[in-house]
């Protein structure tokens, strides 16, 4: 089994395909240019966000001397649209996920788009151990060095960081009565939902976008993830699906023949430095997975630069009659959409380990708490049939970090089983958004739980598409999703201010 440290919500460990592989790590390529990045550069003086640092406690849960260690946690802030503390105007906080917070801010235009309407203060808090929020004096070699130091990288510590920072920030602004809304996408969306459940005295509501909080411990099927990818391609073109599905065996057969690897290398324009069929399969699978995740209705540049509806574009390449009968040429055409949309690639490097958004430490989380079974492939899957195998994950994690995962911890700490019944009687004010083209939607909350724990589901939607900057080209369904989210949040705020105006106890 090949362990490809693929990008997940950002990074998840995907145990892929082939049948006789050794453990290896594949990192997809991430071209660096990001539209709007100039808007964030604080040196220009007219940046959207100002960058600040907060002295954060390393260990919120242990009083031994170690717990007095601190680190510098980065957060971004914008008060341009804020109505101010006197008016108790709201604070919108993005609960950062597993990567550079500036990158998430660039891909969460929703916050800035709605700020003038809500007169909200905008804050993006970086998750510990990512970006510039590195404990141990910012020394990554030490922080990532071993399981003892990485032990401070957990979702519970991160949530406590957010609680601590938000309280302190509000105190500094004398905005104690301002309502806080937490928002996040993907793992950040999980954190937003969990924050609302664990810290209801700090956040009055949560918008949790594409948050697969049910992707744990057998609550959702381990096949759902790849079934959705399969369906995405199939819904566009049955032929495209069949060509891709048939290609894996063809690649493996070719690789076994003499000169076969060289043929594959040339077919896919792989650089001369390295090729193996496992890496090639991992690289192609990564392209299909991320394209499905980011099948946005407008051109985007989240993981890679892509055209609108990239799954359709990939299948157009596969189905192109001019390419003729050559499966590898068809697949090359598809991969070229994901890896070379800008046209800049001279050859494809299968062992490119660049990590421009600083996501690599997700591997630690995926080996400790975030045991999310997504790797099952049914007979109909676009990938070769395979079963989710916990022992595989466990032995991979042992080999990398020398630790045993805690596969039941997330459901112990945050719940998940029978979520409708549990949350119907406990909790309020959470929006769960899911786009059904997003493979993570299989682990999402897709049904309304109560009047104020609401599921918004978009059949055509992909991974946290609702949180992206709005554009003139946005389809009607996407405008509608955002409109409904804004309406619900407005309702929560109205209720909050009504309660605030009442004398306490009444
Ligand atoms: C882990 O790293 C820290 C910091 O470098 C070091 O002090 C500690 O001894 C290491 N622990 C183990 C078990 O190697
Ligand atoms: C609040 O103010 C104190 C004193 O200036 C500062 O040290 C701290 O970082 C501030 N808190 C936040 C969240 O910025
Ligand atoms: C494509 O290949 C199939 C079988 O591999 C063959 O029957 C068919 O004639 C070929 N078509 C063309 C256009 O070469
Ligand atoms: C990338 O696209 C350009 C322009 O279409 C093309 O010339 C180049 O060969 C492609 N690179 C690779 C590695 O396929
Ligand atoms: C799971 O993987 C382990 C090796 O890591 C293997 O021994 C076991 O047979 C596998 N189980 C299934 C159901 O494939
Ligand atoms: C949940 O309820 C809201 C109205 O409050 C509705 O707009 C939405 O479609 C419902 N979601 C589902 C999945 O039925």
């Amino acid at each position: 089994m090949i362990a490809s440290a693929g990008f997940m919500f950002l990074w998840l460990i995907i145990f892929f395909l082939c049948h006789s592989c050794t453990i290896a790590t594949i990192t997809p390529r991430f071209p660096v240019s990001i539209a709007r990045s100039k808007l964030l550069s604080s040196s220009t003086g007219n940046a959207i966000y100002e960058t600040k640092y907060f002295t954060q406690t390393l260990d919120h849960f242990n009083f031994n001397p170690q717990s007095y260690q601190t680190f510098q946690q980065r957060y971004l802030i914008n008060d341009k649209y804020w109505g101010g503390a006197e008016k108790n105007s709201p604070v919108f906080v993005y609960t950062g996920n597993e990567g550079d917070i500036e990158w998430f801010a660039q891909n969460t235009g929703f916050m800035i788009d709605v700020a003038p309407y809500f007169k909200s203060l905008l804050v993006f808090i970086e998750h510990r151990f990512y970006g510039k929020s590195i404990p141990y004096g910012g020394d990554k070699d030490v922080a990532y060095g071993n399981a003892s130091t990485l032990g401070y990288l957990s979702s519970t510590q991160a949530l406590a960081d957010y609680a601590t920072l938000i309280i302190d920030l509000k105190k500094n602004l004398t905005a104690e009565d301002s309502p806080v809304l937490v928002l996040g996408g993907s793992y950040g969306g999980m954190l937003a939902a969990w924050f609302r459940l664990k810290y209801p005295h700090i956040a009055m509501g949560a918008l949790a976008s594409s948050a697969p909080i049910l992707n744990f411990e057998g609550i959702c099927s381990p096949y759902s993830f790849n079934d959705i990818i399969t369906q995405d391609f199939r819904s566009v073109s049955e032929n495209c699906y069949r060509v891709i599905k048939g290609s894996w065996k063809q690649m493996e057969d070719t690789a076994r023949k003499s000169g076969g690897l060289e043929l594959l290398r040339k077919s896919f324009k792989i650089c001369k430095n390295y090729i193996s069929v496992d890496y090639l399969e991992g690289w192609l699978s990564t392209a299909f997975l991320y394209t499905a995740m980011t099948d946005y209705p407008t051109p985007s540049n989240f993981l890679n630069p892509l055209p609108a509806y990239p799954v359709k574009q990939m299948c157009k390449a596969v189905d192109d009659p001019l390419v003729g009968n050559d499966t590898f040429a068809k697949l090359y055409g598809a991969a070229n959409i994901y890896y070379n949309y800008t046209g800049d690639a001279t050859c494809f490097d299968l062992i490119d380990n660049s990590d421009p958004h600083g996501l690599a430490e997700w591997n630690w989380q995926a080996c400790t708490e975030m045991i999310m079974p997504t790797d099952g492939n049914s007979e109909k899957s676009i990938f070769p049939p395979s079963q989710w195998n916990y022992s595989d994950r466990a032995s991979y994690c042992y080999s990398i970090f020398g630790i045993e995962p805690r596969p039941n911890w997330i459901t112990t700490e945050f719940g998940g089983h029978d979520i409708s019944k549990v949350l119907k009687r406990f909790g309020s004010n959470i929006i769960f958004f899911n786009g059904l083209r997003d493979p993570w939607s299989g682990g999402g909350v897709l049904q309304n739980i109560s009047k104020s724990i609401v599921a918004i589901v978009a059949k055509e939607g992909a991974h946290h598409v609702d949180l992206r900057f709005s554009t003139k080209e946005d389809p009607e369904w996407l405008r509608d999703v955002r409109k409904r989210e804004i309406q619900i949040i407005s309702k929560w705020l109205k209720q909050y201010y009504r309660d605030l105006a009442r004398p306490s106890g009444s």
Side-chain angles (χ1 to χ4, degrees):
M1 280 274 146
I2 186 165
S4 118
F7 187 65
M8 160 206 172
F9 336 110
L10 311 122
W11 291 69
L12 95 144
I13 299 175
I14 310 162
F15 292 87
F16 260 124
L17 310 177
C18 84
H19 318 294
S20 59
C21 316
T22 50
I23 285 177
T25 308
I26 293 185
T27 310
R29 309 169 65 257
F30 300 104
V32 277
S33 70
I34 290 183
R36 288 178 188 263
S37 62
K38 63 177 184 306
L39 297 173
L40 281 157
S41 67
S42 42
S43 56
T44 61
N46 58 0
I48 290 185
Y49 297 102
E50 191 185 340
T51 300
K52 296 206 172 185
Y53 287 86
F54 174 64
T55 302
Q56 186 60 268
T57 302
L58 180 64
D59 188 352
H60 297 284
F61 306 110
N62 189 336
F63 282 98
N64 82 22
Q66 185 83 333
S67 72
Y68 294 110
Q69 284 188 29
T70 56
F71 68 97
Q72 293 303 303
Q73 179 164 35
R74 178 166 61 160
Y75 69 95
L76 312 177
I77 188 163
N78 171 322
D79 64 3
K80 183 168 167 209
Y81 306 99
W82 194 37
E86 319 75 56
K87 294 199 171 120
N88 298 318
S89 290
V91 182
F92 285 11
V93 176
Y94 187 94
T95 47
N97 22 333
E98 72 285 26
D100 188 318
I101 194 64
E102 293 196 342
W103 181 56
F104 292 114
Q106 283 152 7
N107 284 283
T108 312
F110 180 80
M111 295 258 286
I112 204 99
D113 283 344
V114 303
Y117 175 78
F118 286 110
K119 300 193 173 14
S120 43
L121 179 69
L122 306 178
V123 183
F124 281 80
I125 313 179
E126 189 159 72
H127 195 295
R128 55 169 57 204
F129 283 84
Y130 295 99
K132 295 212 154 68
S133 302
I134 312 293
Y136 297 95
D139 188 337
K140 290 188 182 178
D141 290 340
V142 176
Y144 303 164
N146 61 43
S148 311
T149 48
L150 277 168
Y152 294 104
L153 170 51
S154 72
S155 54
T156 38
Q157 296 277 12
L159 292 176
D161 289 343
Y162 299 157
T164 306
L165 196 154
I166 292 168
I167 288 175
D168 198 63
L169 178 67
K170 285 178 69 177
K171 198 175 82 201
N172 283 2
L173 298 168
T174 49
E176 281 94 342
D177 282 341
S178 285
V180 173
L181 177 82
V182 285
L183 305 90
S186 205
Y187 170 51
M190 289 157 64
L191 293 172
W194 292 336
F195 192 87
R196 168 66 188 153
L197 297 175
K198 291 286 186 193
Y199 296 92
H201 51 294
I202 301 177
M204 66 89 206
L207 170 53
S209 181
S210 300
I213 60 168
L214 306 182
N215 223 137
F216 294 92
E217 224 190 347
I219 301 173
C220 80
S221 157
Y223 298 105
S224 67
F225 190 86
N226 289 318
D227 280 352
I228 294 169
I229 299 174
T230 302
Q231 185 50 33
D232 286 350
F233 282 85
R234 239 180 146 165
S235 70
V236 167
S237 154
E238 184 71 18
N239 179 65
C240 172
Y241 155 74
R242 270 200 311 252
V243 170
I244 296 170
K245 185 170 176 51
S247 69
W248 311 109
K249 183 167 182 310
Q250 225 172 309
M251 280 185 262
E252 286 164 25
D253 290 347
T254 303
R256 268 191 294 267
K257 288 184 193 141
S258 114
L261 274 180
E262 187 56 17
L263 176 79
L264 287 170
R265 198 184 66 71
K266 286 203 172 118
S267 304
F268 289 97
K269 300 207 186 168
I270 304 300
C271 305
K272 286 222 169 87
N273 58 351
Y274 188 73
I275 181 166
S276 77
V277 73
D278 313 342
Y279 273 49
L280 179 60
E281 288 181 335
W283 179 78
L284 286 168
S285 311
T286 300
F288 298 134
L289 155 58
Y290 298 154
T291 303
M293 253 173 73
T294 58
D295 195 31
Y296 298 133
T298 53
S300 65
N301 185 359
F302 178 39
L303 309 182
N304 271 0
L306 283 174
Y309 297 113
V311 171
K312 205 184 267 174
Q313 295 305 319
M314 269 196 168
C315 281
K316 218 163 128 188
V318 171
D319 292 341
D320 186 349
L322 297 175
V323 176
N325 239 0
D326 180 352
T327 303
F328 299 154
K330 287 168 176 289
L331 259 74
Y332 162 77
N336 206 39
I337 302 276
Y338 182 74
Y339 290 112
N340 187 26
Y341 189 60
T342 56
D344 293 340
T346 49
C347 64
F348 297 121
D349 181 358
L350 297 189
I351 50 173
D352 181 354
N353 277 323
S354 60
D355 182 17
H357 310 305
L359 310 165
E361 269 0 88
W362 179 255
N363 265 354
W364 166 262
Q365 295 196 262
C367 273
T368 50
E369 313 173 321
M370 299 294 161
I371 307 297
M372 307 175 76
T374 54
D375 312 333
N377 283 291
S378 65
E379 288 300 322
K380 286 197 178 131
S381 174
I382 198 164
F383 305 117
S386 67
Q387 285 183 353
W388 154 250
N389 184 333
Y390 171 73
S391 330
D392 274 343
R393 172 76 65 95
S395 57
Y396 168 81
C397 294
Y398 192 79
S399 73
I400 303 290
F401 299 111
I403 46 109
E404 280 275 337
R406 295 172 85 190
N408 307 328
W409 172 243
I410 289 294
T411 53
T412 306
E413 173 72 359
F414 302 113
H417 293 287
D418 288 321
I419 193 157
S420 294
K421 273 194 201 133
V422 173
L423 292 191
K424 194 172 155 189
R425 302 283 177 229
F426 168 78
S428 62
N429 293 6
I430 304 175
I431 300 169
F432 290 103
F433 168 80
N434 277 285
L436 296 185
R437 295 183 76 77
D438 175 13
W440 293 108
S441 64
V445 175
L446 301 177
Q447 264 159 17
N448 283 339
I449 293 178
S450 68
K451 267 207 173 120
S452 71
I453 302 188
V454 181
I456 296 183
V457 174
K459 197 162 76 11
E460 306 91 333
H463 205 47
H464 47 69
V465 62
D466 56 328
L467 295 186
R468 300 188 62 72
F469 276 101
S470 61
T471 77
K472 287 201 177 62
E473 287 76 39
D474 288 340
E476 196 55 37
W477 61 262
L478 181 53
R479 291 165 195 267
D480 180 58
V481 162
R482 294 192 182 118
K483 207 158 75 196
R484 279 152 73 191
E485 289 173 348
I486 290 166
Q487 276 166 357
I488 294 168
I489 294 165
S490 303
K491 206 164 78 186
W492 296 346
L493 285 169
K494 232 163 136 182
Q495 195 168 53
Y496 176 92
Y497 290 122
R498 243 190 347 251
D499 290 347
L500 189 68
R502 270 185 209 139
S504 59
S506 72

